[in-house]
Amino acid sequence: MQSQVTSWQEALQDASLGDVLTWAVAKWGDDLVLASSFGAEDMVLMHQAWVMRLPLAVFSLDTDLLFPETYALIERVRDRYHYDVALYRPQLPLAQQTQQFGGELWSREPDACCRLRKVEPLRRALAGRQAWMTGLRREQSPTRRELAVVQWDRTFHRVKINPLAHWSHQAVWDYLNAHDVPYNPLHDQGYPSIGCWPCTTSVKPGEDVRSGRWTGFDKQECGLHR
Ligand code: SF4
């Protein structure tokens, strides 16, 4: 599989969004799923797949700690695009996490909190799928600079497809505006990257787009992407 990934990488590295989506759905069918956090990039992917009438399974990780605006957007997407968005929640309810690990684990051990509330549900969400799709872009952080449109995910042992790997921030927003795509209103309030509310702050214009995540910790990813 990994040698095939290299040839797919080469074939698709400069492909258009429509071509990547068409290839992914044709190649993987029901074995493919889109992991959406309902950020701007995910809205591009969901809108384009809908326009092209490509069947795409979508899931999101509901940590119980998402912003109300994110939950509202999930409902809006369900209504407008008719995606049957599967929500995966942690096996450990928040109250039990507090009992076992103390309150506000995210403020002391965010890696442990992400393992419980994101990584464990992600493993369940990916079970039975051979490939997953994300809205990751190279520009988003130093950890994503080598991102390929198609890659082998060594953590979850699956093919990972990132159709927007080479897109710029501007290209994403040009697309959303040109096609009147709904998006999280927090983006207009200084939140370029939106995760759980305890670990997301607004950033000033010109600051790194991921600098509002886990402020005060040397942490750039939640463990889903390496
Ligand atoms: S982003 Fe923060 S609150 Fe959400 S799972 Fe990770 S540490 Fe916990």
Side-chain angles (χ1 to χ4, degrees), residues 63 65 106 110 113-114 117-118 196 198-199 214:
T63 60
L65 294 162
W106 51 84
C113 186
C114 278
R117 313 206 74 72
K118 289 191 170 183
C196 299
C199 299
W214 304 288

mmCIF file of all heavy atoms in Angstrom, residues 63 65 106 110 113-114 117-118 196 198-199 214, ligand 1:
data_model
loop_
_atom_site.group_PDB
_atom_site.id
_atom_site.type_symbol
_atom_site.label_atom_id
_atom_site.label_comp_id
_atom_site.label_asym_id
_atom_site.label_seq_id
_atom_site.Cartn_x
_atom_site.Cartn_y
_atom_site.Cartn_z
ATOM 1 N N THR A 63 -16.231 16.671 21.455
ATOM 2 C CA THR A 63 -15.518 16.522 22.731
ATOM 3 C C THR A 63 -16.380 16.928 23.920
ATOM 4 O O THR A 63 -15.930 16.853 25.054
ATOM 5 C CB THR A 63 -14.269 17.411 22.729
ATOM 6 O OG1 THR A 63 -14.683 18.776 22.554
ATOM 7 C CG2 THR A 63 -13.289 17.012 21.633
ATOM 8 N N LEU A 65 -16.956 19.876 24.353
ATOM 9 C CA LEU A 65 -16.356 21.173 24.698
ATOM 10 C C LEU A 65 -16.229 22.063 23.464
ATOM 11 O O LEU A 65 -15.368 22.938 23.411
ATOM 12 C CB LEU A 65 -14.963 20.940 25.320
ATOM 13 C CG LEU A 65 -14.977 20.229 26.682
ATOM 14 C CD1 LEU A 65 -13.607 19.642 27.004
ATOM 15 C CD2 LEU A 65 -15.401 21.199 27.775
ATOM 16 N N TRP A 106 -7.578 19.852 30.745
ATOM 17 C CA TRP A 106 -6.947 20.570 29.631
ATOM 18 C C TRP A 106 -5.995 21.670 30.111
ATOM 19 O O TRP A 106 -5.059 22.015 29.411
ATOM 20 C CB TRP A 106 -8.013 21.174 28.715
ATOM 21 C CG TRP A 106 -9.037 21.987 29.443
ATOM 22 C CD1 TRP A 106 -8.944 23.295 29.829
ATOM 23 C CD2 TRP A 106 -10.320 21.518 29.898
ATOM 24 N NE1 TRP A 106 -10.081 23.679 30.489
ATOM 25 C CE2 TRP A 106 -10.944 22.616 30.539
ATOM 26 C CE3 TRP A 106 -10.998 20.309 29.808
ATOM 27 C CZ2 TRP A 106 -12.223 22.523 31.110
ATOM 28 C CZ3 TRP A 106 -12.265 20.224 30.373
ATOM 29 C CH2 TRP A 106 -12.857 21.309 31.006
ATOM 30 N N PRO A 110 -2.952 18.889 28.711
ATOM 31 C CA PRO A 110 -3.770 18.880 27.484
ATOM 32 C C PRO A 110 -3.537 17.652 26.609
ATOM 33 O O PRO A 110 -4.467 17.205 25.934
ATOM 34 C CB PRO A 110 -3.362 20.178 26.772
ATOM 35 C CG PRO A 110 -2.051 20.563 27.370
ATOM 36 C CD PRO A 110 -2.055 20.059 28.778
ATOM 37 N N CYS A 113 -5.792 15.039 27.969
ATOM 38 C CA CYS A 113 -7.186 15.399 27.672
ATOM 39 C C CYS A 113 -7.508 15.119 26.203
ATOM 40 O O CYS A 113 -8.550 14.536 25.887
ATOM 41 C CB CYS A 113 -7.399 16.874 28.019
ATOM 42 S SG CYS A 113 -9.113 17.418 27.871
ATOM 43 N N CYS A 114 -6.592 15.487 25.298
ATOM 44 C CA CYS A 114 -6.820 15.221 23.867
ATOM 45 C C CYS A 114 -6.859 13.724 23.584
ATOM 46 O O CYS A 114 -7.623 13.274 22.728
ATOM 47 C CB CYS A 114 -5.722 15.869 23.025
ATOM 48 S SG CYS A 114 -5.958 17.632 22.696
ATOM 49 N N ARG A 117 -10.388 12.677 24.732
ATOM 50 C CA ARG A 117 -11.550 13.310 24.126
ATOM 51 C C ARG A 117 -11.472 13.419 22.605
ATOM 52 O O ARG A 117 -12.457 13.718 21.944
ATOM 53 C CB ARG A 117 -11.809 14.691 24.752
ATOM 54 C CG ARG A 117 -11.756 14.683 26.271
ATOM 55 C CD ARG A 117 -12.563 15.773 26.917
ATOM 56 N NE ARG A 117 -13.990 15.512 26.843
ATOM 57 C CZ ARG A 117 -14.629 14.572 27.557
ATOM 58 N NH1 ARG A 117 -13.966 13.814 28.401
ATOM 59 N NH2 ARG A 117 -15.925 14.394 27.418
ATOM 60 N N LYS A 118 -10.284 13.182 22.046
ATOM 61 C CA LYS A 118 -10.169 13.257 20.584
ATOM 62 C C LYS A 118 -9.593 11.979 19.961
ATOM 63 O O LYS A 118 -10.153 11.442 19.016
ATOM 64 C CB LYS A 118 -9.281 14.451 20.194
ATOM 65 C CG LYS A 118 -9.951 15.794 20.442
ATOM 66 C CD LYS A 118 -9.165 16.917 19.804
ATOM 67 C CE LYS A 118 -9.947 18.220 19.842
ATOM 68 N NZ LYS A 118 -9.239 19.304 19.160
ATOM 69 N N CYS A 196 -11.734 23.130 20.773
ATOM 70 C CA CYS A 196 -12.524 23.166 22.009
ATOM 71 C C CYS A 196 -12.419 24.569 22.627
ATOM 72 O O CYS A 196 -11.354 25.198 22.578
ATOM 73 C CB CYS A 196 -11.972 22.165 23.009
ATOM 74 S SG CYS A 196 -12.011 20.465 22.443
ATOM 75 N N PRO A 198 -12.098 25.608 25.723
ATOM 76 C CA PRO A 198 -11.094 25.932 26.757
ATOM 77 C C PRO A 198 -9.687 26.145 26.179
ATOM 78 O O PRO A 198 -8.837 26.720 26.845
ATOM 79 C CB PRO A 198 -11.090 24.690 27.671
ATOM 80 C CG PRO A 198 -12.331 23.945 27.360
ATOM 81 C CD PRO A 198 -12.603 24.231 25.918
ATOM 82 N N CYS A 199 -9.449 25.640 24.969
ATOM 83 C CA CYS A 199 -8.093 25.649 24.402
ATOM 84 C C CYS A 199 -7.993 26.514 23.151
ATOM 85 O O CYS A 199 -7.064 26.363 22.365
ATOM 86 C CB CYS A 199 -7.668 24.228 24.057
ATOM 87 S SG CYS A 199 -7.629 23.141 25.482
ATOM 88 N N TRP A 214 -4.103 26.107 22.444
ATOM 89 C CA TRP A 214 -3.290 25.671 23.591
ATOM 90 C C TRP A 214 -2.276 26.749 23.997
ATOM 91 O O TRP A 214 -1.091 26.460 24.209
ATOM 92 C CB TRP A 214 -2.569 24.354 23.294
ATOM 93 C CG TRP A 214 -3.504 23.267 22.890
ATOM 94 C CD1 TRP A 214 -4.375 22.599 23.703
ATOM 95 C CD2 TRP A 214 -3.700 22.728 21.582
ATOM 96 N NE1 TRP A 214 -5.086 21.684 22.977
ATOM 97 C CE2 TRP A 214 -4.687 21.736 21.670
ATOM 98 C CE3 TRP A 214 -3.112 22.999 20.334
ATOM 99 C CZ2 TRP A 214 -5.117 21.017 20.566
ATOM 100 C CZ3 TRP A 214 -3.539 22.285 19.235
ATOM 101 C CH2 TRP A 214 -4.525 21.302 19.359
HETATM 102 S S1 SF4 B 1 -8.426 20.650 22.706
HETATM 103 FE FE1 SF4 B 1 -8.321 21.058 24.928
HETATM 104 S S2 SF4 B 1 -10.346 20.596 25.794
HETATM 105 FE FE2 SF4 B 1 -10.227 19.711 23.705
HETATM 106 S S3 SF4 B 1 -9.601 17.616 24.026
HETATM 107 FE FE3 SF4 B 1 -7.711 18.762 23.675
HETATM 108 S S4 SF4 B 1 -6.992 19.470 25.697
HETATM 109 FE FE4 SF4 B 1 -9.120 18.732 25.924
#
